[in-house]
Every structure is written in structure tokens, then in C-alpha cells.
């Protein structure tokens, strides 16, 4: 039987240069951590080990029984024994397969449970990560970590770990069995193993390099096709009269591809030719030396023994090959665990305090005391911001785009923590307050309204799962969205589409106002959309917002004069600093930043 597993396809048995460069250091700590995930399932794991050992032994038994079939059955001319050993051999093969099935089941069970644990651990860890993490990391990377990397762990357990165990056990049992039969022939058998193992590895490497080259070439072909056969690409080719040039380019890459493919196929052929011969050398040598031993030196060796030895030698090919190649899988697996652990080890930036404080009463009072803040530790976004919003009052924050208005409100529910100074909510530093309590008391209607792809009802219930139908209707009425909902065929059960795309910008914002009302926070923050809504939508939002802010402590990031005028006091922010504060009339008269904003922005929008 020719050895299998020597070839590496793309992503196969050899490491890429990048992988080699990024090889993880396999430390005791890393291994301990990897195996700590196995610990809760140690009983099942022992069962798997027993199954693997039993299945490997049973798998080898038929080879050993061949000896008895020949010696006692055929050569001994004993039909009864012949049939007995044949049936035994079949039964043993069946048993080995049966145990294999059980082992696969338990192994998959363990793998699934470990990945289940890891996924949950990762998800709850990610939920604790700050907004900074989500804004500075690529969303795709986060999802990959959650999905393919953790799925990879499953394959590590069901394939790599299993392969190491079963191949090692099979190899050891085969070698022990060979020595039991005859030590000279066993030694000879072991000596020929490198004869096939090493060329297999070498040929596999060559073929893998060729496959990779062919793949790169294929990418190049695809690139050309994508560029030149696209609508705009073709237009460009035609307008510049580059047909011939592009065709020549395509042809030459295509030619390269043909050569590489032939080379790759032939590398396989030569390899198999050599391999077939080499793999046959082992058995032939055993027959030769075995024959000489029987004829000249040791007549206790039987024909059956030699046959068993040859069969057992054949059984060592695959495990040796797999074990020789397992190093790459092992490194990849460790790199995978390392990547996952890197995520687990990321410190939780915004954590619940050890002894959280709770105010006597939540009223929504907010106090900023000399707050400095930077997103990246370099560029100062807020500088010495101080203000006091008394409970029941409302304030408007205005300022040019990018001046830091949203940043100010991000600090209240602790999406980020201040770098200096402090933010107090109902008299307590937000960093000392119970995080979930704080957040449940701050309601934000953001510029970018996010609705889940579900019904309006489900989106509303997200804020308060125990809200009754009446409460929902009441909130929708207050948010001036109920008339719209009533008109829909399915009413509250109307689906909002992916991210609420089936609703208009104004409708979405009013649904999100209703959602926040159901949450019933002590502080309401309304980040007014800068994007233009039509004046009807704007008026509806305005009508909704005005009575609401009269009822509770509110902060409005305002872009429209009508919103600004609804607030009790106006704060003007510029370059991260509060530069003015007061009432509309006095600020207009002051001739500062507000006057400029009024003349350039608010007045125009109001007109
Ligand atoms: P707009 O009116 O346009 O919404 P704004 O006054 O609310 O603007 P902020 O969103 O607070 O402004 O942004 C203030 C500054 O901080 C901007 O220069 C912005 O580029 C920067 N910034 C905002 N969010 C982040 C972030 N997550 N990471 C790094 N920088 C950020």
C-alpha cells in the first residue's frame, strides 16, 4: 500500500513563509491552557483514549491472524481452524470499525462542548469590551475570531489530536507486535521505514510548491479577467484600443499556467513511480532475509510469521507519514489557540467597580468636573469640560461638527472613561457606580438609529421586555409614531427590515424615541440627526421630543434652532472646550461662536 498523506495541497501539510515567521512559541503555559479546556471532559477523554487504543489494536489483529490462517489453517491443512481464524478476523475488523464509530461520536461530543464553552466565553468577553475596542478593530476580524477560529478548534480536536493519538498507538502496537514475531526482521522493517518516509516528504514539498505557484498564477489570470472583462474595464480597453495588449498579457499568463500544471501532474507521476518501487523494497527485503533465516538459520520462523511481519510493516506506513507531517498541523493548531487566547487576554477596559455605589435616587443629574478625554491617548478631544445639569432640567449642546459633542455624551453611560477629571451621575462618579444600573438610567436616541431586523414590537420590547401592549402604544403615541404604526397592515408586528431599512430615517428615529421611553431612563440624551430629514419628519420628531424633555432630565445635541430653543440652557462646544453658555438671545447677542453658528447654520435651517 503506498503511503498516504505525503502531499500537501494548498493550505496542506507544509507551512507558508508567513506561517513560519509567525510560529507560536509552544510553552508549558500555552499547553496547560489548551488542555485546561479538556479538563471538564476528562472522563469522556479517557473513554476516547480507550476507544482509540482498542480500535488500533483490533485494527492490527487481522494482520496478526493472517499468520495463523496460513500456518495453522492452510499449511496445517486444518479447515476448522482456517474458518475459525477467518471468521475471527472478520469479527475483529467489524469490532474495530464499531469502536471507531463510538470514538468518533465521543470525540465530536467533546469537540462540540469545548467549542461551545469557548464561544460562550468569547462572546461574554467581547460584550465586556469597550466601545474603543469595537471602533478600533475590524468587525470582520472580530467575527472571524468568533466563528472560523473557534470552529478551527473543533477540527484540531477531532483531527489533529486524534491523529497524533491514534497514529502513535497504532505505530507502537505494530512495532511491538513485529518484535514479538521476530526481532531481526522487526529491526529490518524499522530500518526501511525512512526509505519511503523521507522521499514522500520531499516529493510532497516539491508538489506543494508547484501547487502554490499554480495558484498564484491562477489568481493572476482571475485578476486579469476581473479587470478586463468588467463593464468599465472593457470600456477602458476599447477606448484606449488595448485589445491586443490585453490579449497578449492574458495569453502569456495562461501559457505559464499550462506549464505549471503539467509540471505539477508529472511531479506526482514520477513520485508514485519511485514510491511504488521503494515501498515494495521493504516487504521484499523481509521476504529475502526471512527466507534466508528460515532456510539456513532458524527453522522456527514460519511462513505465516513472515507474512504477518510484512502486513504489519505495511500498517506502519500511514502512521509514520502522518506523524512526520503532523508538526505543521500542530503548529497551526497552536497558532490558532494563540490567536483566540490573545482575544481572551485583552483587558476589560470598562469594568464594574468592585464595590459599586448606588445613589439614593436616580434623577438624571449630571456633573462634569474638569474632564479631559482622548480616544487614542494622543489627540486631546475634550479639554477641561465642566458643567452641571440639574435634575429635571434640559441642556442643548451645540458646536461645529467634530467639536466633541457626541464624545461628551459617550462619557455619561461609560462607553469610554475620562482621562482626567470626573463625570458624576446623581452625585456619584460613574466609575464607582454599578454599570448596569447606570446604563439602565441613561437613555440615548442616537444619530445613527439602530433597529434589529425584527418587528417594531420586538424592537420596543428590547428596551423593556415586560412592557404591556398599552405601555407600548402609549410610548409610540408620545413618540408620534403610533399613527404610522396603525396604518400598517400588521401594526406593531410590522417588520423593520435589516437595520430598520424598511422605515424612513424619521420613522426610525421616532421608533427609537418610543423605545427609549419604554426604558424610562432618568436621563434622556437625544443626538439629533445632522442628515437632512424632510420638514414634515423633522416637525414630527420635534413635536415628540419637546413634551418629553419637559418631563425629565435631558441633554440634546442640537443642530436645529427649534430643538435648541426647547432646552433650558445652551452650551457651546468648540475644539473640545465649552466656550459659551447661556440662553439663546444672550448668546446671539454675544457675537461669539454661537452667533456664528446661528448665522451660518441655525438661521438657514429655520428659514
Ligand atoms: P458631529 O456634530 O459631526 O456629530 P461631534 O461634535 O459630535 O461631531 P465627536 O463625534 O464627539 O464630534 O468627535 C470629536 C472628535 O473625536 C472628532 O475629531 C472625531 O474625529 C474624533 N472621534 C470620534 N469618535 C472617535 C473614535 N471612536 N476614535 C477616535 N476618534 C474619534
Amino acid at each position: 500500500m503506498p503511503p498516504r498523506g505525503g502531499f500537501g495541497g494548498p493550505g496542506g501539510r507544509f507551512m507558508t513563509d508567513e506561517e513560519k515567521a509567525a510560529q507560536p512559541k509552544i510553552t508549558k503555559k500555552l499547553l496547560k491552557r489548551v488542555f485546561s479546556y479538556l479538563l471538564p471532559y476528562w472522563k469522556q477523554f479517557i473513554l476516547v483514549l480507550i476507544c482509540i487504543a482498542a480500535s488500533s489494536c483490533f485494527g492490527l489483529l487481522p494482520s496478526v491472524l493472517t499468520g495463523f490462517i496460513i500456518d495453522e489453517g492452510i499449511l496445517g491443512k486444518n479447515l476448522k481452524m482456517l474458518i475459525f481464524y477467518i471468521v475471527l478476523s472478520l469479527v475483529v475488523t467489524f469490532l474495530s470499525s464499531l469502536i471507531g464509530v463510538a470514538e468518533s461520536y465521543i470525540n465530536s461530543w467533546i469537540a462540540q462542548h469545548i467549542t461551545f464553552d469557548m464561544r460562550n466565553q468569547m462572546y461574554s468577553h467581547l460584550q465586556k469590551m469597550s466601545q474603543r475596542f469595537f471602533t478600533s478593530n475590524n468587525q470582520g476580524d472580530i467575527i472571524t475570531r468568533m466563528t472560523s477560529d473557534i470552529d478551527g478548534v473543533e477540527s484540531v480536536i477531532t483531527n489533529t489530536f486524534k491523529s497524533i493519538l491514534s497514529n502513535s498507538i497504532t505505530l507502537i502496537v505494530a512495532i511491538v507486535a513485529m518484535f514479538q514475531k521476530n526481532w531481526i526482521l522487526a529491526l529490518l522493517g524499522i530500518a526501511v521505514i525512512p526509505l519511503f518516509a523521507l522521499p514522500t516528504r520531499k516529493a510532497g514539498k516539491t508538489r506543494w510548491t508547484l501547487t502554490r505557484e499554480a495558484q498564484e498564477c491562477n489568481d493572476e489570470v482571475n485578476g486579469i479577467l476581473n479587470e478586463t472583462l468588467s463593464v468599465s474595464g472593457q470600456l477602458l480597453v476599447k477606448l484606449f484600443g488595448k485589445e491586443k495588449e490585453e490579449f497578449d498579457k492574458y495569453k502569456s499568463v495562461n501559457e505559464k499556467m499550462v506549464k505549471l500544471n503539467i509540471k505539477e501532474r508529472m511531479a506526482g507521476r514520477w513520485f508514485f513511480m519511485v514510491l511504488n518501487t521503494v515501498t515494495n523494497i521493504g516487504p521484499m527485503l523481509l521476504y529475502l532475509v526471512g527466507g534466508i533465516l528460515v532456510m539456513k538459520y532458524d527453522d522456527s520462523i514460519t511462513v505465516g510469521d513472515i507474512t504477518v511481519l510484512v502486513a504489519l510493516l505495511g500498517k506502519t506506513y500511514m502512521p509514520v507519514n502522518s506523524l512526520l507531517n503532523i508538526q505543521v498541523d500542530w503548529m497551526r493548531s497552536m497558532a490558532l489557540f494563540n490567536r483566540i487566547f490573545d482575544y481572551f487576554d485583552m483587558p476589560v477596559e470598562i469594568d464594574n467597580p468592585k464595590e459599586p455605589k448606588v445613589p439614593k435616587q436616580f434623577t438624571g443629574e449630571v456633573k462634569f468636573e474638569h474632564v479631559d478625554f482622548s480616544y487614542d491617548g494622543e489627540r486631546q478631544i475634550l479639554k477641561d469640560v465642566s458643567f452641571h445639569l440639574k435634575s429635571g432640567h434640559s441642556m442643548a449642546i451645540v458646536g461645529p461638527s467634530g467639536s466633541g459633542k457626541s464624545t461628551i455624551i459617550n462619557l455619561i453611560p461609560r462607553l469610554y472613561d475620562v482621562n482626567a477629571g470626573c463625570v458624576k451621575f446623581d452625585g456619584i462618579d460613574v466609575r464607582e457606580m454599578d454599570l448596569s444600573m447606570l446604563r439602565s438610567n441613561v437613555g440615548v436616541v442616537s444619530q445613527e438609529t439602530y433597529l434589529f431586523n425584527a418587528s417594531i414590537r420586538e424592537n420596543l420590547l428590547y428596551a423593556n421586555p415586560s412592557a404591556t401592549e398599552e405601555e407600548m402604544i402609549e410610548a409610540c403615541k408620545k413618540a408620534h409614531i403610533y399613527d404610522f404604526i396603525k396604518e400598517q397592515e400588521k401594526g406593531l408586528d410590522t417588520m423593520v427590515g435589516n437595520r430598520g431599512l424598511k422605515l424612513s430615517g424619521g420613522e426610525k428615529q421616532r421608533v427609537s424615541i418610543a423605545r427609549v421611553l419604554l426604558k424610562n431612563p432618568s436621563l434622556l440624551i437625544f443626538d439629533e440627526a445632522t442628515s437632512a430629514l424632510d420638514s414634515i419628519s423633522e416637525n414630527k420628531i420635534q413635536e415628540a421630543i419637546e413634551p418629553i424633555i419637559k418631563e425629565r432630565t435631558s441633554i440634546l445635541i442640537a443642530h436645529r434652532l427649534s430643538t435648541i430653543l426647547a432646552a433650558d440652557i445652551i452650551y457651546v462646544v468648540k475644539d473640545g472646550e465649552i466656550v459659551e453658555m447661556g440662553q439663546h438671545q444672550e448668546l446671539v447677542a454675544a457675537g461669539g461662536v454661537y452667533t456664528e453658528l446661528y448665522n451660518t447654520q441655525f438661521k438657514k435651517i429655520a428659514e
Side-chain angles (χ1 to χ4, degrees):
M1 183 189 67
R4 281 189 272 147
F7 286 160
R13 301 254 175 192
F14 300 95
M15 276 194 263
T16 59
D17 295 338
E18 298 103 79
E19 276 180 322
K20 267 185 200 154
Q23 263 190 49
K25 261 216 180 97
I26 300 186
T27 56
K28 221 164 136 190
K29 202 168 136 218
L30 175 67
L31 289 178
K32 233 170 138 183
R33 196 163 176 191
V34 169
F35 285 101
S36 72
Y37 284 90
L38 212 62
L39 216 58
Y41 308 108
W42 68 271
K43 283 183 202 149
Q44 288 83 352
F45 185 65
I46 288 182
L47 214 59
V48 165
L49 273 183
I50 294 173
C51 284
I52 290 178
S55 149
S56 302
C57 293
F58 280 150
L60 288 176
L61 256 182
S63 305
V64 178
L65 289 175
T66 322
F68 294 105
I69 291 174
I70 293 174
D71 288 342
E72 293 187 24
I74 302 173
L75 296 180
K77 298 201 170 126
N78 185 338
L79 186 62
K80 241 168 132 187
M81 288 319 274
L82 180 66
I83 294 173
F84 171 72
Y85 284 122
I86 288 175
V87 172
L88 187 62
S89 181
L90 288 176
V91 169
V92 162
T93 311
F94 174 74
L95 275 181
S96 157
S97 309
L98 199 68
I99 296 171
V101 174
E103 178 265 319
S104 291
Y105 171 75
I106 308 171
N107 211 352
S108 304
W109 188 93
I110 297 178
Q112 282 300 331
H113 279 74
I114 288 178
T115 48
F116 171 81
D117 294 345
M118 278 190 142
R119 261 193 216 110
N120 289 345
Q121 193 187 352
M122 179 79 97
Y123 192 80
S124 78
H125 183 68
L126 286 178
Q127 274 187 324
K128 285 193 210 128
M129 297 313 288
S130 70
Q131 211 53 17
R132 195 191 307 277
F133 168 81
F134 290 100
T135 46
S136 52
N137 278 284
N138 188 334
Q139 196 186 356
D141 284 351
I142 301 174
I143 308 268
T144 309
R145 220 44 108 239
M146 271 302 296
T147 52
S148 6
D149 278 2
I150 296 194
D151 285 345
V153 169
E154 197 211 329
S155 127
V156 169
I157 297 165
T158 45
N159 298 328
T160 315
F161 285 180
K162 187 211 146 147
S163 168
I164 295 176
L165 287 174
S166 73
N167 285 319
S168 309
I169 295 177
T170 309
L171 194 63
I172 292 169
V173 175
I175 289 175
V176 169
M178 280 167 81
F179 271 99
Q180 284 240 311
K181 283 283 162 206
N182 184 285
W183 67 271
I184 301 175
L185 294 180
L187 276 181
L188 188 68
I190 293 170
V192 297
I193 289 177
L195 266 185
F196 73 82
L198 297 177
T200 308
R201 213 171 145 65
K202 172 105 186 52
K205 232 174 191 164
T206 318
R207 195 163 171 204
W208 192 64
T209 316
L210 287 171
T211 312
R212 276 188 62 200
E213 274 177 37
Q215 224 180 22
E216 275 162 24
C217 199
N218 198 19
D219 289 346
E220 211 177 318
V221 172
N222 284 342
I224 294 177
L225 293 182
N226 270 333
E227 268 186 11
T228 56
L229 292 187
S230 65
V231 178
S232 36
Q234 259 304 303
L235 193 67
L236 202 70
V237 171
K238 285 198 169 76
L239 290 180
F240 283 86
K242 294 277 185 191
E243 284 88 347
K244 182 160 178 338
E245 220 168 283
E246 291 299 341
F247 176 72
D248 288 345
K249 220 166 41 178
Y250 178 69
K251 202 170 126 196
S252 94
V253 187
N254 227 350
E255 266 168 12
K256 200 166 125 195
M257 180 96 172
V258 169
K259 280 187 196 141
L260 273 173
N261 279 340
I262 295 179
K263 231 165 134 186
E264 190 209 331
R265 302 283 187 279
M266 283 324 286
R269 277 307 304 141
W270 287 117
F271 168 62
F272 270 122
M273 194 198 85
V274 175
L275 198 69
N276 271 337
T277 322
V278 170
T279 38
N280 264 331
I281 292 179
M284 292 311 138
L285 263 178
L286 283 190
Y287 284 132
L288 178 69
V289 178
I292 293 172
L293 280 179
V294 173
M295 286 180 239
K296 302 223 161 165
Y297 303 100
D298 185 358
D299 55 7
S300 68
I301 303 175
T302 63
V303 180
D305 289 343
I306 298 172
T307 321
V308 170
L309 278 159
V310 169
L312 286 175
L313 181 66
K315 294 271 182 192
T316 60
Y317 288 170
M318 207 173 90
V320 167
N321 236 306
S322 302
L323 287 174
L324 273 179
N325 289 315
I326 207 75
Q327 183 215 0
V328 177
D329 284 346
W330 175 253
M331 280 292 173
R332 278 199 190 130
S333 310
M334 290 301 131
L336 185 76
F337 276 112
N338 247 354
R339 275 207 302 276
I340 295 173
F341 292 156
D342 276 351
Y343 256 49
F344 281 155
D345 291 343
M346 272 180 309
V348 176
E349 199 185 330
I350 309 255
D351 211 356
N352 219 15
K354 287 221 164 58
E355 288 172 19
K357 292 183 184 160
V358 181
K360 281 193 196 85
Q361 198 193 354
F362 278 104
T363 65
E365 182 205 13
V366 177
K367 204 169 183 188
F368 270 55
E369 292 177 358
H370 307 288
V371 168
D372 287 347
F373 177 75
S374 157
Y375 283 104
D376 52 12
E378 282 174 17
R379 191 158 68 100
Q380 194 81 344
I381 303 290
L382 297 182
K383 290 159 224 155
D384 197 23
V385 172
S386 296
F387 65 82
H388 184 187
L389 172 66
K390 294 195 185 109
S391 67
H393 285 230
S394 59
M395 69 183 262
I397 305 180
V398 298
S401 177
S403 54
K405 303 182 291 293
S406 307
T407 307
I408 291 179
I409 59 160
N410 283 344
L411 300 180
I412 302 172
R414 276 190 84 197
L415 295 183
Y416 300 91
D417 274 343
V418 298
N419 294 114
C422 78
V423 175
K424 285 184 173 163
F425 195 83
D426 280 318
I428 296 175
D429 189 328
V430 287
R431 287 167 295 186
E432 293 173 0
M433 198 181 270
D434 181 76
L435 199 56
S436 63
M437 265 197 185
L438 168 72
R439 288 184 180 164
S440 68
N441 272 286
V442 179
V444 183
V445 178
S446 55
Q447 258 188 42
E448 301 262 330
T449 313
Y450 192 93
L451 297 180
F452 289 105
N453 187 4
S455 64
I456 296 179
R457 181 192 303 279
E458 284 165 291
N459 271 291
L460 292 178
L461 287 177
Y462 192 72
N464 177 7
S466 57
T468 61
E469 183 88 10
E470 287 73 37
E471 284 168 332
M472 272 190 271
I473 294 176
E474 178 67 23
C476 290
K477 278 185 182 160
K478 277 191 179 169
H480 285 238
I481 187 70
Y482 191 59
D483 288 343
F484 165 80
I485 294 174
K486 250 190 341 196
E487 280 166 23
Q488 306 302 307
E489 204 183 310
K490 291 192 177 161
L492 276 173
D493 294 311
T494 308
M495 297 301 286
V496 301
N498 203 359
R499 288 170 176 248
L501 284 177
K502 285 190 188 162
L503 304 182
S504 76
E507 286 154 5
K508 253 188 345 192
Q509 200 151 39
R510 280 179 286 143
V511 171
S512 80
I513 292 172
R515 179 170 64 181
V516 136
L517 288 178
L518 278 174
K519 186 178 168 184
N520 196 20
S522 353
L523 172 71
L524 179 81
I525 297 173
F526 182 68
D527 194 348
E528 191 169 50
T530 33
S531 55
L533 290 174
D534 62 66
S535 52
I536 300 176
S537 296
E538 258 174 36
N539 284 343
K540 280 193 177 153
I541 291 175
Q542 196 60 43
E543 281 166 19
I545 274 294
E546 258 179 54
I548 294 169
I549 63 170
K550 295 266 177 298
E551 285 174 5
R552 70 186 76 216
T553 323
S554 339
I555 299 178
L556 311 161
I557 296 187
H559 300 286
R560 279 175 262 280
L561 191 59
S562 48
T563 323
I564 299 170
L565 292 178
D568 297 326
I569 191 162
I570 303 162
Y571 281 85
V572 186
V573 183
K574 192 181 175 207
D575 295 332
E577 282 175 284
I578 292 183
V579 286
E580 291 163 25
M581 61 171 277
Q583 302 294 326
H584 173 70
Q585 290 305 341
E586 49 179 337
L587 287 174
V588 172
V593 179
Y594 188 81
T595 319
E596 200 184 318
L597 282 169
Y598 176 68
N599 289 329
T600 53
Q601 238 184 311
F602 310 147
K603 215 158 123 189
K604 263 193 213 148
I605 296 175
E607 273 162 5

